[in-house]
Amino acid sequence: MVWARGLRKSYGDLEAVRGIDLDVRPGEAFGFLGPNGAGKSSTMRMIAAVSPPSAGELMILSMDPTTHGPQIRARLGVCPQDDTLDNELNVRDNLMVYGSYFGMRKAEVAARADELLDFVQLRDKAKGKVEDLSGGMKRRLTIARSLINDPDLMLLDEPTTGLDPQARHLLWDRLFRLKARGVTLVLTTHYMDEAEQLCDRLVVMDGGEIVAAGSPLELIRAHSTREVAELRFGVGDNEQNAELVADLAPRVEVLPDRLLLYTDDGEATLAQVHERGLAPMAVLVRRSTLEDVFLRLTGRTLVE
Amino acid sequence: MAPAAVLSTVTSAVPSWEMVARQRVYWATVYRRTWKGSVFTSFVLPLFYVVAMGVLLGRFVDAGGGSLDGAPSYLSFVAPGLVASYSMQVAMGETTWPVMGMIKWSRTYYAMTASPLAVADIVAGQLLYVMFRTASTGAVFLLVMSPFGVFDSWVGVLLAWPVTVLVGLSFAGVFTAYAASVNSDTAFLVVYRLLVVPLFLFSGAFFPIGNLSAPLQWVARATPLWHGVDLVRMLVLDDVQVGAALVHLGYLVLLSLVGWVLAVWRLGKRLEV
């Protein structure tokens, strides 16, 4: 669906994407995980056949975006990070106008618009103003709009950024359904839980490069331990205590507010901590997540 | 820019007319939500101008007995100038703020570029809409003025109508390119005060440019609005000098084409990054 080798994008002296390789397969959900400024959105705009690559090779749906942009875009569904809905049109007319750009006949768009409003649960808002919709509803309408042409490949740039938890879950549910219908999803996110929930495979991006690739589970296995013991000492005491527990786990990370001990048995490690007479204010044993993978690979947390 | 780059910029400005046609639903909705206001202003504004400038101010001018480049009265001198100037102002109104809005505020252009539409198609849609707007406001302007007996040739009026559209287009392309290049709408106020208003006042709409000092006359002759004003005036007063008319026409067509290409180039730079 998407194939890239040595793909680059620069803006003047700034290199946003520094030579990445991609292989997105039909029917999968593929994610770009990384902090703001990692080059995710620049990559997405190139895959959307809008932004021309600065160097490297890129094929989308087996076509070259520099020569077949309109043909590629005819089969894509794009849900951009920033809202591009038309506030002066009502909810349904946003879909009607957008469908016309794809050369669809009016009756065809109308039928599809009603179907999609049902799908994103906005049927009762069809005649309503876009301005009056909540953030989650707007995002769902944008998704409905991007599906108007029944795309083979859907691009979602940070689909749930800025949404409340309930709205996120509703949106994830719709994306699962799309995937079940065989639509290939490519999405960017800086939420590790979103990446774990939605993506079959993902790449971790940092500073314009891919620093790791694989399924969420593979990445966690390859770059982290099974469990993590989190210790919270008082403010300023974390670093000092880190030295006292350094030998209890193969890897210890010091964050401003807590210590992370990477270990295969969190409870056992915790017991050893207590044996040493240390009394953290709070403790937590959890499974490793993509956040830990990211911390390991880049030395930084995802959401700062 | 190297000649090859110029050539590729020019060829990439050619739209796919099928893609342009796909935008009719969008532009029809834009027109539907603005036409009530625009019909009122496009009818009333010419009337105000003609009454104030042509009829009332004209009494003093005609009493003074100045030379008006062959026009029988000040009213018939000023009317064609007003039509052409108004077209420039409509073109500015339909490109500057709306174009910036579609880039920065409603971000409609970004939604369009995610569809099969290319930048050249989007610019063509935008400029055709401006032509439609200048054609409709120009037609109303000409109709409003006709009862004042200012036109000597009906054929000339019918020919002057597309010329007013051409005047609008010659500004619309350049203004679209400009709107795609700036970051703040305060830039438009500068353009309005330092370009549009001086052009409106000094391009021969209100007085023969022969009244200007020699160097300023040449400045006036270099501006697109003067070519538009003079051509419209020749046509409606049935006083066509073929050579001069062709120069006016050529100038306006050339500027329209250059502006169109510039608009595609600048909007491409803005959107395809």
Side-chain angles (χ1 to χ4, degrees):
Chain A
M1 304 298 278
V2 180
W3 179 90
R5 290 293 176 270
L7 186 62
R8 288 174 181 274
K9 182 75 198 185
S10 10
Y11 305 99
D13 291 338
L14 178 79
E15 272 205 296
V17 181
R18 304 170 181 227
I20 61 170
D21 297 346
L22 298 168
D23 276 297
V24 179
R25 300 166 197 152
E28 74 175 341
F30 185 92
F32 290 92
L33 178 69
N36 293 329
K40 305 186 303 285
S41 293
S42 297
T43 306
M44 285 297 255
R45 287 179 56 72
M46 287 192 278
I47 298 175
V50 172
S51 165
S54 303
E57 294 171 82
L58 177 63
M59 297 292 273
I60 304 140
L61 303 167
S62 310
M63 290 181 276
D64 180 347
T66 53
T67 53
H68 290 76
Q71 291 88 333
I72 293 169
R73 293 195 299 271
R75 291 169 55 193
L76 295 183
V78 181
C79 180
Q81 189 177 338
D82 300 310
D83 195 7
T84 61
L85 296 166
D86 195 327
N87 278 321
E88 307 206 28
L89 296 177
N90 72 31
V91 167
R92 190 167 178 276
D93 283 347
N94 260 277
L95 303 182
M96 295 298 295
V97 167
Y98 209 66
S100 70
Y101 298 156
F102 289 85
M104 296 166 75
R105 283 176 297 105
K106 198 177 173 187
E108 196 186 348
V109 190
R112 183 93 183 125
D114 291 334
E115 186 190 318
L116 287 169
L117 287 176
D118 279 337
F119 177 67
V120 297
Q121 295 163 314
L122 288 173
R123 186 64 174 261
D124 53 330
K125 306 271 181 194
K127 297 282 170 204
K129 280 184 175 179
V130 170
E131 283 179 311
D132 299 338
L133 299 183
S134 69
M137 289 176 181
K138 280 185 185 172
R139 206 62 60 87
R140 266 148 50 206
L141 179 58
T142 304
I143 286 180
R145 192 182 66 175
S146 70
L147 289 169
I148 198 84
N149 58 328
D150 201 7
D152 298 319
L153 172 61
M154 199 169 170
L155 308 177
L156 300 127
D157 198 359
E158 304 200 357
T160 65
T161 297
L163 301 189
D164 62 49
Q166 203 186 349
R168 294 180 79 197
H169 282 282
L170 187 56
L171 208 112
W172 285 350
D173 171 62
R174 298 296 113 175
L175 295 179
F176 277 126
R177 284 166 199 247
L178 280 177
K179 196 172 160 268
R181 291 188 196 173
V183 179
T184 308
L185 304 177
V186 173
L187 60 117
T188 71
T189 181
H190 56 231
Y191 298 119
M192 50 153 187
D193 54 342
E194 186 160 274
E196 282 182 7
Q197 286 267 344
L198 287 176
C199 299
D200 300 315
R201 284 193 315 133
L202 56 97
V203 292
V204 180
M205 282 189 83
D206 188 43
E209 291 174 331
I210 291 177
V211 291
S215 72
L217 210 60
E218 281 166 9
L219 285 169
I220 291 166
R221 279 201 192 126
H223 301 284
S224 191
T225 51
R226 208 169 71 89
E227 292 189 336
V228 186
E230 293 195 359
L231 312 179
R232 280 171 200 266
F233 293 96
V235 180
D237 293 339
N238 288 317
E239 295 211 6
Q240 187 187 332
N241 284 301
E243 291 166 24
L244 302 176
V245 298
D247 58 319
L248 294 181
R251 189 173 136 234
V252 175
E253 290 280 351
V254 185
L255 298 184
D257 58 338
R258 62 196 193 274
L259 296 179
L260 303 178
L261 277 60
Y262 288 92
T263 170
D264 284 324
D265 186 344
E267 291 296 342
T269 307
L270 211 55
Q272 287 175 300
V273 170
H274 287 299
E275 271 167 32
R276 295 200 172 173
L278 297 171
M281 289 155 62
V283 295
L284 169 72
V285 172
R286 59 170 175 82
R287 288 186 168 273
S288 275
T289 66
L290 287 172
E291 178 86 45
D292 301 300
V293 172
F294 190 79
L295 188 63
R296 177 67 190 269
L297 292 171
T298 69
R300 287 178 291 116
T301 49
L302 266 171
V303 185
E304 276 148 7
Chain B
M1 235 196 281
V6 172
L7 187 70
S8 82
T9 307
V10 170
T11 51
S12 69
V14 177
S16 147
W17 294 108
E18 192 211 325
M19 295 291 177
V20 177
R22 288 183 183 181
Q23 295 166 64
R24 67 187 182 279
V25 180
Y26 173 73
W27 289 110
T29 60
V30 170
Y31 188 63
R32 222 174 290 136
R33 68 191 178 214
T34 53
W35 74 274
K36 279 177 194 154
S38 80
V39 160
F40 181 72
T41 54
S42 67
F43 181 79
V44 168
L45 210 67
L47 203 62
F48 287 170
Y49 271 129
V50 167
V51 170
M53 299 292 184
V55 179
L56 300 174
L57 180 64
R59 273 185 212 154
F60 293 96
V61 179
D62 291 334
S67 153
L68 288 165
D69 283 358
S73 68
Y74 186 69
L75 179 60
S76 56
F77 174 84
V78 83
L82 290 171
V83 182
S85 308
Y86 189 53
S87 187
M88 168 183 73
Q89 296 189 17
V90 170
M92 182 186 188
E94 292 293 345
T95 50
T96 45
W97 278 274
V99 166
M100 176 167 279
M102 288 170 81
I103 294 170
K104 291 183 66 160
W105 304 317
S106 71
R107 301 174 59 83
T108 304
Y109 283 148
Y110 287 97
M112 287 177 163
T113 52
S115 79
L117 304 180
V119 172
D121 309 325
I122 293 169
V123 168
Q126 175 84 42
L127 293 180
L128 284 177
Y129 179 72
V130 177
M131 288 169 78
F132 163 73
R133 289 278 295 122
T134 51
S136 51
T137 54
V140 172
F141 210 124
L142 291 168
L143 279 174
V144 168
M145 283 188 299
S146 56
F148 291 88
V150 293
F151 300 137
D152 289 341
S153 159
W154 288 108
V155 178
V157 173
L158 283 178
L159 290 174
W161 183 40
V163 171
T164 63
V165 177
L166 190 59
V167 170
L169 182 62
S170 68
F171 284 97
V174 177
F175 283 145
T176 301
Y178 183 70
S181 308
V182 296
N183 269 316
S184 157
D185 62 343
T186 51
F188 302 145
L189 287 177
V190 176
V191 167
Y192 186 72
R193 287 166 189 162
L194 296 183
L195 188 78
V196 172
V197 171
L199 283 180
F200 179 51
L201 294 175
F202 296 102
S203 290
F206 299 106
F207 54 86
I209 59 165
N211 293 9
L212 292 166
S213 65
L216 283 178
Q217 270 187 52
W218 285 107
V219 173
R221 280 177 209 281
T223 65
L225 187 57
W226 174 73
H227 290 274
V229 166
D230 206 46
L231 185 54
V232 171
R233 187 172 288 143
M234 278 183 189
L235 289 166
V236 301
L237 295 181
D238 200 13
D239 181 25
V240 178
Q241 290 149 314
V242 177
L246 287 177
V247 170
H248 293 328
L249 198 63
Y251 184 108
L252 294 173
V253 168
L254 188 67
L255 183 61
S256 298
L257 291 175
V258 169
W260 193 307
V261 172
L262 283 176
V264 175
W265 176 50
R266 293 313 304 170
L267 198 63
K269 286 272 175 230
R270 189 71 179 256
L271 299 177
E272 290 176 344
V273 290

